[in-house]
Amino acid sequence: MTKRKTVAHPAPLPAAALYRVCDPAQFDFATTADLPGEPGGPGPALGQERAVEAIRFAIGMRHRGFNLFALGEEGTGRRNLILGHLREAAAVRPPSDDWVYVENFAEAARPRAVRLPAGRGRVLERDMAHLVEELGHALPAAFEAEDYRARRQMVESEAKQQREAAFSAIQEDAEAHGIALVRTPMGLGLAPSKGDEVLPPDEFKQLPDEVQNRLRGEMERLQERLEATIKQVPRWDRDMRARLRELEREAVGHAIAHLMDDLKGDWAAQPEVLAYLDDVAADVALNAQDFLPETEEAERREEGRREGRPRGPDGRYRRYRVNVLVCREGETGAPVVMETYPTQPNLIGRVEHIAQYGTLITDFNLIKAGSLHRANGGYLVMDALKLLMHPFAWDDLKRALRDREIRIESPGQAMGLISTLSLEPQPIPLDLKVVLVGDPMLYYLLSHNDPEFGELFKVSADFDWRMERSESNTALLARSVAILAGKEGLRPLDRSAVARVVEQASREVGDSTRLSTHMASLADLVREADYWAGEDGADLVRAGHVERAVAASIRRLDRVRDNVQEEMLAGTVHIATGGEVVGQINGLAVLELGRFSFGRPTRVTARVRFGKGDVVDIEREVLLGGPIHGKGVMILSSFLASRYATELPLALSATLVFEQSYGGIEGDSASSTELYALLSALSDLPIRQSLAVTGSIDQFGRIQAIGGVNEKIEGFFDLCRARGLDGSHGVLIPADNVPHLMLRRDVVEAAEAGLFSVYPVETVDQGIALLTGHPAGERDDEGKFPSSSVNRRVAARLGAFMRRAEDLAVPRPINGMGRNGVGG
């Protein structure tokens, strides 16, 4: 006797399986006001244990390259959690150093960077300002002292006497030989003389030739001597100025010695500051005229200007200032900096310019710090996408981390495109931990395309968007809600409201066994529930307020969903919810509009005929179907061939289409739907239009899980309810999706009343039996299907196509010749 297998029809799911309720009795508090307040540390990490371990590892690892990339969805609390842990770690570390830029007197275009203990930068700035003020009093007094003036007059007098003696000697020599030394508009000159008068030219020509020749020879000799003496005058002047400068330096040295000694005593523990103060003293001695009052010593100051000594663009004393780049005054731990606008100048600093007399000039006082400077010695947090969007910022960050120094350089200067005079500040050593926050795709793209990324960011903190719905995690979520309410001054939530928030957290991830870690949306839910509690004049937020907040948020976004349903109810879009049709089935799709998604029934039809074994997906042919959708159609074709055409090729031509679909279609969740329509067309058995289907298939006919199962069920339910539920309506879903069900309350109530059903399906055979009301049928030991089964009808139809194809492949007899070319 032939043995046959039977396929059990799945029963509708009980109402309890459609929604996992959170029992308020499990909480040991009456309201969230009874729970502990905001913790002192980083706060609870909802389901982020793996990420927290990575963060702590990156913070503790002080070796090079162990920077952190935090990847995860926006709203999962990445920044707050990271900043909490960073601040906790920074609090136990000593404050970072101050950094200042000062004048490089040897090379003004390369300012010097000086490291100082925390808070000492402002002290040095004040000390230098006080020094300049004191110099403004001490130096004029030194130059006005009688001793200095007497010595200066002596030097000037000696120089004057030297010049006069030299010219007097020449004049005496000339007079002894009858020649006069005369002053003309062109300078000094020589001429024959007669007594005290210059001999006129006419009288000179009347002199004997001997006398004329003698006088000419003497004048030539004296002219050479005069020229040699005149050439000596600039050297004598230089010697005089050198003696005056030496005198000035000596006077300045005596005047500022006590000031510099006091200042050096205050900075004796800082060798770099001492070296700088020595340079300041030397420069003050060279430029003492800058400290004289405007009404005095104008000639000396003018000499200094003519010599091209460096001067600040808006003051004589700018070069003695201290540019405090980073000051840690008042800080108690290492810095934690959040850079929200990571442009290249905001990151590495910049050199500003000012316009003066039609040109752009700058000096070390116009060097501005970047976030790398402010975070040096601590932690810097940035958004990875924003960083990559700004030109040169990513490359300069990598260079700084690789070279472990901050080099301030504009992009134009680096590329040689700017000829404006600028500075090359001394690079500052860099020691900090950089944390980038971004989405997973960005992390994977950088890992794949940037070879330096893996060397500089060796630690990744992977933030999960969901967590297990366990008792401990539920309690942790309740505590987070309590912290939010206390921090923002919201009304306390009673235990029923917290339970409803927990249920909504499961709905957010579409899984009754999981909870959402998207704290931004959950926080907004609590805020909105507080608003509705206020509207009701309630002191506590209750479950009804949370439910109202959920409904209101959907109401604000569901205009398109209502419009789509109106078109279906009006008959503009043909979706049948009653009767039976061959080759037609209700599929389910999900439309995503920003933050809101909803299910939309779709009519799928199939037509079959004799052909060459092609299953044509019209969506794919017109380029409306995506690659995953095309893959699903190819899988169902493979299933057909493997089940019904193991020995002969399929002689089938079939077309599948999503009717009244005018946009792109992607995903394989409709592959089982298309297969059901195709089996109905082949078996000529009608499908119940009161049912809708979702689920993908594999080559063995198993139904596989899909996404958006709650939205899909609710989308078909809304249409059926609008037309009137009669107990025949329902949805077939993959059995693997049952744990994901968190349906709306009205759907659960309809199922509980027997008006709507959700069927868990494991195989194609279970699904086609439900849809057609006929058993699918299993092969017996002889490989045959039962005569009344769906599979038997499909196999028979395909067999007929195959036999026809075989007949058409046999050549017709010609002139009485048989099949083998032999006459009958």
Side-chain angles (χ1 to χ4, degrees):
M1 182 176 179
T2 303
K3 296 181 180 179
R4 298 186 183 276
K5 300 178 182 178
T6 59
V7 178
H9 293 177
L13 290 171
L18 305 182
Y19 188 87
R20 182 179 174 185
V21 177
C22 179
D23 186 4
Q26 69 177 293
F27 298 119
D28 58 358
F29 57 87
T31 71
T32 54
D34 301 332
L35 293 174
E38 186 173 6
L46 291 178
Q48 308 299 348
E49 292 79 8
R50 179 182 289 104
V52 169
E53 291 174 5
I55 294 170
R56 290 174 175 168
F57 171 75
I59 292 174
M61 181 62 72
R62 304 302 303 168
H63 296 285
R64 185 174 182 176
F66 284 87
N67 297 294
L68 177 67
F69 192 105
L71 60 150
E73 291 189 4
E74 188 70 31
T76 53
R78 298 169 299 175
R79 290 180 184 83
N80 290 337
L81 183 62
I82 290 170
L83 289 173
H85 281 279
L86 293 181
R87 287 166 182 154
E88 184 181 46
V92 299
R93 294 179 56 186
S96 300
D97 295 325
D98 285 2
W99 282 96
V100 301
Y101 271 111
V102 296
E103 175 81 356
N104 184 346
F105 297 101
E107 194 171 2
R110 298 179 183 273
R112 294 167 56 181
V114 179
R115 185 200 301 263
L116 297 173
R120 297 284 285 169
R122 295 295 179 194
V123 176
L124 181 61
E125 181 185 33
R126 291 191 291 268
D127 285 351
M128 288 303 299
H130 179 70
L131 174 65
V132 170
E133 182 181 359
E134 291 297 321
L135 290 175
H137 297 296
L139 292 181
F143 290 134
E144 291 172 1
E146 292 184 3
D147 179 64
Y148 170 77
R149 287 183 176 277
R151 295 177 64 184
R152 181 181 180 86
Q153 290 176 359
M154 182 181 298
V155 172
E156 292 173 346
S157 177
E158 290 176 356
K160 182 178 180 181
Q161 292 175 2
Q162 184 180 21
R163 287 195 299 271
E164 290 177 351
F167 286 108
S168 295
I170 296 174
Q171 186 172 7
E172 292 175 359
D173 188 7
E175 290 176 353
H177 294 83
I179 298 173
L181 181 65
V182 296
R183 296 183 181 274
T184 67
M186 303 298 294
L188 294 175
L190 297 170
S193 64
K194 183 179 180 182
D196 294 334
E197 301 292 334
V198 175
L199 190 66
D202 294 340
E203 294 184 12
F204 179 77
K205 292 180 180 179
Q206 295 176 3
L207 294 174
D209 292 341
E210 256 180 54
V211 175
Q212 291 184 24
N213 292 334
R214 180 181 63 78
L215 290 174
R216 287 192 182 97
E218 289 297 331
M219 284 191 295
E220 289 178 0
R221 179 181 67 80
L222 290 171
Q223 182 66 34
E224 292 178 358
R225 183 178 177 184
L226 178 61
E227 290 177 356
T229 302
I230 291 174
K231 289 180 181 180
Q232 291 292 325
V233 171
R235 184 173 63 82
W236 294 337
D237 290 341
R238 288 197 300 272
D239 291 344
M240 180 192 69
R241 288 196 296 271
R243 293 176 63 190
L244 290 176
R245 283 197 296 270
E246 183 63 29
L247 179 61
E248 287 179 2
R249 282 195 288 269
E250 184 179 344
V252 169
H254 289 302
I256 69 174
H258 66 285
L259 296 175
M260 300 305 295
D261 289 343
D262 292 344
L263 196 56
K264 287 183 177 180
D266 295 339
W267 294 93
Q270 302 297 323
E272 288 184 88
V273 176
L274 295 179
Y276 167 66
L277 293 176
D278 289 338
D279 292 342
V280 169
D283 188 77
V284 169
L286 289 173
N287 299 278
Q289 65 274 2
D290 286 341
F291 292 90
L292 300 181
E294 291 291 339
T295 57
E296 297 182 9
E297 305 292 344
E299 293 182 0
R300 238 178 293 173
R301 290 199 302 273
E302 189 62 31
E303 288 178 2
R305 292 187 183 97
R306 285 196 298 266
E307 290 177 8
R309 292 171 181 168
R311 297 178 54 78
D314 62 356
R316 289 177 291 169
Y317 310 136
R318 287 181 63 90
R319 63 180 178 276
Y320 303 120
R321 293 181 183 177
V322 173
N323 180 7
V324 182
L325 198 69
V326 179
C327 180
R328 310 293 184 187
E329 189 174 9
E331 297 184 9
T332 57
V336 178
V337 176
M338 178 70 188
E339 178 56 69
T340 58
Y341 191 56
T343 62
Q344 191 255 11
N346 287 351
L347 190 62
I348 67 167
R350 64 191 183 277
V351 178
E352 295 182 343
H353 293 72
I354 60 175
Q356 190 178 62
Y357 303 116
T359 186
L360 294 176
I361 60 176
T362 186
D363 68 358
F364 73 94
N365 290 285
L366 297 176
I367 300 174
K368 305 300 179 183
S371 52
L372 284 176
H373 297 95
R374 293 191 296 273
N376 200 5
Y379 308 94
L380 175 61
V381 183
M382 292 180 290
D383 184 277
L385 182 59
K386 291 180 180 178
L387 176 68
L388 292 169
M389 288 176 64
H390 292 104
F392 306 103
W394 173 241
D395 289 333
D396 281 358
L397 173 64
K398 292 192 296 182
R399 182 182 68 174
L401 294 176
R402 183 180 60 249
D403 299 341
R404 306 188 77 173
E405 65 179 19
I406 311 171
R407 184 180 298 274
I408 301 177
E409 191 174 42
S410 69
Q413 185 179 359
M415 300 176 68
L417 302 178
I418 296 178
S419 58
T420 304
L421 177 64
S422 189
L423 303 178
E424 296 182 17
Q426 180 182 355
I428 292 177
L430 180 65
D431 179 21
L432 86 168
K433 190 76 67 177
V434 175
V435 179
L436 295 182
V437 181
D439 58 60
M441 182 56 68
L442 186 58
Y443 173 78
Y444 299 134
L445 286 173
L446 286 172
S447 299
H448 181 72
N449 295 297
D450 192 335
E452 293 180 310
F453 176 73
E455 292 298 319
L456 297 175
F457 291 86
K458 297 181 179 180
V459 185
S460 62
D462 195 350
F463 282 75
D464 201 351
W465 55 280
R466 60 183 186 176
M467 62 180 176
E468 183 183 358
R469 184 173 168 178
S470 62
E471 186 176 345
S472 60
N473 284 340
T474 302
L476 196 60
L477 179 59
R479 185 182 173 211
S480 297
V481 170
I483 292 173
L484 173 69
K487 183 178 180 181
E488 299 192 4
L490 306 178
R491 295 169 180 81
L493 285 75
D494 69 6
R495 62 176 66 182
S496 67
V498 175
R500 184 63 186 89
V501 171
V502 171
E503 294 168 0
Q504 186 62 23
S506 284
R507 174 58 191 255
E508 290 286 340
V509 296
D511 193 336
S512 65
T513 65
R514 303 280 179 177
L515 293 173
S516 172
T517 60
H518 195 276
M519 296 310 301
S521 60
L522 295 179
D524 287 341
L525 175 62
V526 174
R527 296 183 185 110
E528 293 180 30
D530 176 78
Y531 169 80
W532 292 115
E535 290 291 297
D536 290 345
D539 296 330
L540 294 176
V541 177
R542 295 183 167 83
H545 300 131
V546 179
E547 187 67 40
R548 189 175 178 184
V550 173
S553 65
I554 294 175
R555 170 68 177 168
R556 293 192 296 267
L557 300 170
D558 67 350
R559 180 188 61 83
V560 175
R561 182 183 68 176
D562 290 348
N563 292 344
V564 170
Q565 183 168 323
E566 288 171 2
E567 291 181 347
M568 295 178 186
L569 294 174
T572 305
V573 176
H574 298 288
I575 300 292
T577 55
E580 297 180 343
V581 180
V582 174
Q584 176 176 300
I585 190 171
N586 291 324
L588 297 171
V590 174
L591 299 183
E592 295 185 2
L593 302 175
R595 297 176 298 158
F596 181 63
S597 59
F598 62 92
R600 175 180 180 270
T602 303
R603 182 164 52 100
V604 179
T605 60
R607 300 300 298 271
V608 297
R609 60 190 179 278
F610 172 73
K612 299 180 180 180
D614 298 326
V615 177
V616 178
D617 174 24
I618 293 179
E619 311 295 331
R620 179 74 171 175
E621 292 296 316
V622 297
L623 304 179
L624 287 178
I628 299 178
H629 175 74
K631 176 185 176 183
V633 174
M634 296 180 70
I635 290 174
L636 72 86
S637 300
S638 173
F639 169 77
L640 282 176
S642 62
R643 172 170 284 194
Y644 303 110
T646 56
E647 297 181 0
L648 293 174
L650 281 174
L652 165 72
S653 182
T655 54
L656 297 167
V657 67
F658 285 72
E659 303 288 357
Q660 294 184 287
S661 173
Y662 307 106
I665 295 176
E666 180 59 311
D668 62 350
S669 63
S671 56
S672 66
T673 309
E674 294 172 306
L675 179 58
Y676 291 141
L678 192 57
L679 293 176
S680 171
L682 286 170
S683 64
D684 202 28
L685 292 173
I687 289 178
R688 294 166 55 189
Q689 300 301 295
S690 60
L691 298 176
V693 177
T694 184
S696 68
I697 61 167
D698 63 12
Q699 295 189 98
F700 299 97
R702 292 188 292 256
I703 305 299
Q704 302 173 132
I706 45 82
V709 64
N710 293 295
E711 290 82 0
K712 291 177 178 179
I713 295 173
E714 292 166 355
F716 189 67
F717 171 82
D718 289 339
L719 179 62
C720 295
R721 181 180 59 178
R723 289 177 173 172
L725 296 171
D726 58 11
S728 66
H729 299 101
V731 175
L732 280 65
I733 66 168
D736 293 337
N737 279 120
V738 172
H740 305 150
L741 295 177
M742 286 295 292
L743 294 170
R744 289 196 320 248
R745 191 173 302 278
D746 53 351
V747 181
V748 177
E749 291 173 353
E752 193 171 11
L755 297 176
F756 192 81
S757 302
V758 177
Y759 298 94
V761 177
E762 297 180 351
T763 65
V764 171
D765 290 339
Q766 290 180 348
I768 196 63
L770 276 170
L771 292 167
T772 63
H774 290 72
E778 291 283 335
R779 293 185 186 273
D780 57 18
D781 294 341
E782 296 178 1
K784 296 180 180 181
F785 293 110
S787 58
S788 61
S789 65
V790 177
N791 285 327
R792 179 63 175 268
R793 295 172 70 99
V794 173
R797 184 78 176 276
L798 290 175
F801 287 160
M802 295 176 193
R803 287 190 295 275
R804 184 179 178 188
E806 188 177 21
D807 291 341
L808 291 175
V810 176
R812 296 178 179 271
I814 301 176
N815 295 329
M817 299 297 291
R819 183 172 182 176
N820 296 318
V822 181

